[in-house]
Amino acid sequence: MADKGSIYIEILPVGHALEIAAIDSETGREVRFVAPKTATEDEIKQLARAKMDYVMRKDAEARNKKPPDSRGGIVV
């Protein structure tokens, strides 16, 4: 993603950790992860951007992936 949009971040304290929910403002794609309670705001933003980029890249790869053959069915 060359042009990176905004990400909305929600931080929820859970015990001795933080549960982070990050939502891409353009696509509405949500990712979640856990961070240590000692993580700074900048670290959380960096983690959220990295996770979002990773998930968006994997989504794009999955959309472009062709099935192994044209017979359909389930590949196990």
Side-chain angles (χ1 to χ4, degrees), residues 50-70:
K51 175 103 185 222
M52 186 65 70
D53 289 347
Y54 173 81
V55 170
M56 298 290 258
R57 188 172 54 254
K58 287 297 189 180
D59 286 350
E61 288 173 6
R63 280 192 305 272
N64 293 331
K65 190 174 185 179
K66 297 191 191 260
D69 60 37
S70 61

Side-chain angles (χ1 to χ4, degrees), residues 9-56:
I9 297 175
E10 179 180 25
I11 302 171
L12 305 164
V14 179
H16 296 290
L18 299 171
E19 182 180 348
I20 313 299
I23 302 170
D24 182 81
S25 64
E26 294 176 11
T27 64
R29 182 70 158 102
E30 179 179 342
V31 296
R32 291 179 171 265
F33 60 94
V34 177
K37 209 167 209 174
T38 58
T40 66
E41 185 177 327
D42 286 338
E43 290 170 332
I44 290 170
K45 287 177 181 179
Q46 286 179 319
L47 288 168
R49 172 58 65 195
K51 175 103 185 222
M52 186 65 70
D53 289 347
Y54 173 81
V55 170
M56 298 290 258

